[in-house]
Amino acid sequence: MAKPPVPHELKPQASTEDRGSNVPTHLFRQAVEQAALAISITDARANILYANAAFQRITGYGQQEVIGHNESILSYHVTPKLVYESLWAQIQRQRPWNGLLVNKRKDGNRYLADVAITPVVGEEGLTTHYLGMHRDVTEVHRLERQVQNQMQLIESVVDAAQVAIVLLDEQKSVLLDNQEYKKLIGALGKEPALIILAALHEQMGDAFTKALEKHRNIAPHEICIETTNRPARWFSCAASWFEEHDVGADTFYEPIHRHYLLLTIQEISELKHQQEALRINSLSALLAEQERIQSLRETLAGAVYQLEGPLNMLSSAANMLGRRLSIQPASASHDTSGELPAKALEDAIQKSREALDTLRACIPDQSTESFQEIDLNKVITDVLKLTTPSLLGSNIVVEWLPSAKPATVSG
Ligand code: FAD
């Protein structure tokens, strides 16, 4: 497509000398007059000779109210003297100055001005005028400060947290961390985040790789880190992602998103030790109870067995007596002297059998345990902890290196 013709009067100039010579003077004036920036032209002592419409809009002063007055009319008198001294030192060396000044509007309200002052040098090489341009940056400054304040607030909250927090980029480089995380550096090594991520990977397997690929959050996982010559340490670790829009100028119209991984690491070694001690205590109490019940069972069963012998003998004797009484000759039919002891014996045997049944009923049952998922690693660890003193007493050393993955069985 052909480009539209450039009007002759706006065509770019070939050399610096005649730059702008084709632009009519009134165009310069109109451009300055209509510019969005507050523009003023002063003499060499900063007395205002000209102010454009934006200057009037921003300061509230009409043109005639400022002409002849020094630019200091705008000063709120809180900008440090040093700033003005450096401003003047710079422009008197015929160099442009740019900086922030606290200005006052006609209505007395202050605003923060981003001011640029350029010396206008005459043909004789002397500064004849100054060109001042400024804009109200109060709101920009307020937002910048607000962001800085929020940053500081977030940093102090993160720093004060009792949990180690670390922010990683997608290459797993640390961008931000807090005091608790720094403590882990001393304890675990150079980059604890990498050690923790590796442990999470080992425990979660493919789910971890997918979570990283798809930027999915990782719910808290308990992981154990073994360190040489020190007891193992337990951590509860969770990860969450957040997305940032790139702030570079090149991505202004084509936004790029970056992902950051926020890792929170809470040491739970103390809790784990307490849980372990509790588990071992209840395990040894359970074993002791089982042993007590077993010995009670054996004692009662033995007693029942022991009593059954004499009772059986008595039963046989009673049977024999019964039989003898039933076959007595007719002449002795009126002799009832043997019936009473036989009856008493039978009653005694009956009572004894009832007592024996009661005793038998008191023998505790062999309890059947319910089936559930059991982590063999934990069971073996607990058993080793319980039996280590007796194993060592017998000169038996057991080397136990369980894998990080739980080895569960139903039992
Ligand atoms: P003063 O006590 O008069 O000056 C403070 C210090 O500034 C002095 O100690 C001295 O070191 C230096 N100084 C002041 N005047 C001169 C001078 N003529 N020559 C050499 N050194 C000098 N000021 C604002 O507050 N807001 C503005 O928006 C602003 N815009 C300006 C635009 C232009 C184009 C120029 C040239 C100056 C502008 N100034 C502006 C500066 C202004 O002219 C005053 O210097 C400033 O306001 C301080 O004045 P003061 O009366 O408060 O303090």
Side-chain angles (χ1 to χ4, degrees):
M1 208 170 87
K3 284 186 182 169
V6 179
H8 176 70
E9 55 188 340
L10 290 180
K11 271 186 183 164
Q13 301 305 302
S15 73
T16 47
E17 269 176 21
D18 54 1
R19 187 190 292 155
S21 62
N22 283 348
V23 179
T25 320
H26 73 271
L27 188 54
F28 276 108
R29 192 177 177 92
Q30 278 173 351
V32 171
E33 186 60 39
Q34 293 167 26
L37 278 176
I39 296 178
S40 58
I41 298 171
T42 71
D43 64 14
R45 287 169 40 190
N47 295 316
I48 301 171
L49 305 175
Y50 166 82
N52 73 349
F55 186 99
Q56 294 169 51
R57 220 172 27 249
I58 291 173
T59 65
Y61 288 107
Q63 202 172 36
Q64 293 314 313
E65 290 173 296
V66 286
I67 301 266
H69 285 276
N70 193 281
E71 292 271 6
S72 64
I73 192 176
L74 298 179
S75 174
Y76 198 83
H77 299 293
V78 290
T79 303
K81 205 172 171 184
L82 198 69
V83 177
Y84 291 126
E85 285 171 1
S86 97
L87 177 163
W88 278 104
Q90 182 86 344
I91 61 177
Q92 282 180 336
R93 269 187 261 134
Q94 297 190 339
R95 291 201 188 136
W97 179 89
N98 184 212
L100 297 172
L101 301 173
V102 183
N103 273 0
K104 186 172 70 177
R105 289 186 229 278
K106 186 184 171 185
D107 61 11
N109 282 333
R110 75 185 122 177
Y111 66 99
L112 190 71
D114 182 3
V115 183
I117 301 174
T118 312
V120 179
V121 181
E123 282 174 2
E124 290 169 6
L126 297 174
T127 304
T128 55
H129 299 86
Y130 290 111
L131 171 69
M133 293 184 284
H134 79 261
R135 62 195 180 101
D136 181 352
V137 291
T138 315
E139 188 57 15
V140 177
H141 171 73
R142 193 183 66 78
L143 291 173
E144 270 176 10
R145 268 288 144 85
Q146 213 169 9
V147 170
Q148 280 170 10
N149 289 344
Q150 277 174 0
M151 277 282 291
Q152 275 173 4
L153 181 72
I154 291 168
E155 276 174 18
S156 23
V157 169
V158 166
D159 241 6
Q162 294 301 303
V163 179
I165 298 173
V166 59
L167 185 70
L168 307 166
D169 65 13
E170 288 197 85
Q171 285 70 47
K172 297 193 186 125
S173 303
V174 172
L175 301 177
L176 190 92
D177 59 11
N178 70 347
Q179 290 302 324
E180 284 299 309
Y181 181 79
K182 288 189 175 76
K183 285 187 202 162
L184 287 182
I185 298 176
L188 296 186
K190 213 172 171 193
E191 210 51 273
L194 300 183
I195 299 171
I196 299 281
L197 287 178
L200 277 174
H201 192 183
E202 194 180 345
Q203 193 181 99
M204 295 173 61
D206 283 351
F208 176 83
T209 320
K210 280 204 184 106
L212 284 204
E213 273 170 15
K214 307 235 159 130
H215 302 124
R216 281 199 206 117
N217 293 349
I218 297 173
H221 276 69
E222 290 184 359
I223 55 163
C224 179
I225 307 281
E226 304 279 347
T227 45
T228 39
N229 301 332
R230 282 194 207 169
R233 294 176 72 166
W234 283 88
F235 298 93
S236 169
C237 308
S240 51
W241 289 93
F242 89 89
E243 197 181 276
E244 185 197 66
H245 296 246
D246 188 274
V247 291
D250 47 341
T251 57
F252 187 79
Y253 286 111
E254 287 169 15
I256 292 179
H257 298 152
R258 288 207 181 84
H259 290 92
Y260 296 98
L261 186 68
L262 188 73
L263 200 59
T264 53
I265 309 157
Q266 183 163 26
E267 173 135 28
I268 51 164
S269 303
E270 187 59 38
L271 187 75
K272 275 280 170 187
H273 291 150
Q274 282 171 7
Q275 282 177 351
E276 199 174 75
L278 206 67
R279 220 174 46 241
I280 288 176
N281 281 347
S282 49
L283 187 66
S284 69
L286 187 75
L287 287 176
E289 177 67 4
Q290 279 178 354
E291 270 173 28
R292 196 183 64 79
I293 290 172
Q294 179 65 20
S295 90
L296 186 67
R297 189 183 299 124
E298 283 168 7
T299 310
L300 288 177
V304 168
Y305 178 76
Q306 299 251 315
L307 287 172
E308 269 173 345
L311 197 59
N312 287 341
M313 283 172 70
L314 282 175
S315 284
S316 309
N319 283 341
M320 281 170 63
L321 192 63
R323 268 202 305 278
R324 197 174 293 168
L325 284 174
S326 64
I327 56 168
Q328 264 183 358
S331 58
S333 62
H334 294 293
D335 182 7
T336 56
S337 59
E339 285 176 14
L340 272 175
K343 177 80 177 74
L345 190 60
E346 263 182 24
D347 284 352
I349 292 170
Q350 181 58 32
K351 286 265 168 0
S352 301
R353 288 221 181 276
E354 281 170 17
L356 212 56
D357 285 345
T358 311
L359 201 59
R360 210 176 273 118
C362 289
I363 298 175
D365 286 340
Q366 198 89 34
S367 62
T368 47
E369 288 167 22
S370 59
F371 274 69
Q372 59 182 28
E373 289 275 292
I374 297 170
D375 184 354
L376 277 183
N377 284 346
K378 270 191 191 160
V379 174
I380 297 174
T381 309
D382 290 350
V383 169
L384 282 177
K385 285 219 167 107
L386 270 175
T387 53
T388 297
S390 57
L391 288 173
L392 286 177
S394 313
N395 280 337
I396 300 170
V397 178
V398 179
E399 279 207 17
W400 169 237
L401 296 169
S403 74
K405 282 186 192 164
T408 48
V409 290
S410 180

